[in-house]
Amino acid sequence: MVDKAKFIWLDGKFIPWDQAQVHILTHTLHYGLGVFEGVRAYQCANGRTAIFRLPEHTRRLFDSAHILQMEIPFSEDDINQACIEALRQNDQKEAYLRPLIFIGDGAMGLHPQNNPIRVAVITWVWGAYLGDEGLLSGIRLKTSSFTRHHVNVMMTSAKGVGNYVNSILAKREVTKAGYDEALLLDTAGYVAEASGENIFMVKNGIIKTPPSTSILPGITRDCVIVIAKDLGIPIQEARFSRDDLYIADEAFLSGTAAEITPVRELDDRRIGTGKPGPITKKIQETYFDAVHGKKPRYDSWLTYV
């Protein structure tokens, strides 16, 4: 259950949480065409609150909307300022932020015609997405029977609302079987990503992650790539199979919600020692230092409120 904040920014105005309602004929509710972002704000070591990589998230929001032919009636700066002001209005030192672009009510049928493009920014307090214990000790993955989208089936570079039906089906499937998260393969059978996170494996001191051709190009994924290079750890974007992952020395997931979550097991096979490995822990430690403003090298990733 999400704890209510005081206000939600909707179409340019802050309104009380319980009044942020839409009509039952809202087009996106029926047909799934919309885009969104997930952003986190952290309280930094200096006591101030900073939104992590806000401009990059907003840029991807606009890119996603462009791919899906949705004209956002606000500028990127408007959205950035709405995110900052939402935290102030809600007196939140740490929060998850959800910018959402959706098609309002009007015409029905697949073509939304001139229905309004509506915009919201919602903030709520959200802890570790895959659990505090998962961050500390690692999680159990299971390969889903559902396949990740092909690039000509869904627009995989867009963070589209409807794309996540695939993720929901996979997540439900594996959690019902007792696992923490789903691993999805691409249409060629190679590892793609988890239901809501990108994936990395470590073998012989080299980090590998699937190429961004058929997955959402994660912003946290980009952080991992930058951090690894800064730490002098070799990193490659390359295809690998799930049996490659079975015999990896380490594995971990990345995402705004999941942050850096180690993987201790896949398909009932222990990954490495079954505990977070040294490279995973170093990446995780550096990432958390960065989001909390403890690494001046990454201060450009922080937008202070």
Side-chain angles (χ1 to χ4, degrees), residues 232-243:
I233 303 169
I235 187 163
Q236 302 173 356
E237 294 186 63
R239 276 180 158 181
F240 53 87
S241 61
R242 59 174 159 166
D243 51 357

Side-chain angles (χ1 to χ4, degrees), residues 11 20 27 29 44-45 57 109 113 115 124 142 202 227 230 240 249 252-253 255 277 286 296 302:
D11 298 326
H27 196 275
L29 179 62
C44 294
H57 279 284
Q113 299 184 38
N115 290 21
W124 66 87
K142 180 171 178 58
V202 182
I227 289 169
D230 287 348
F240 53 87
D249 300 324
F252 60 92
L253 304 180
T286 306
L302 304 176

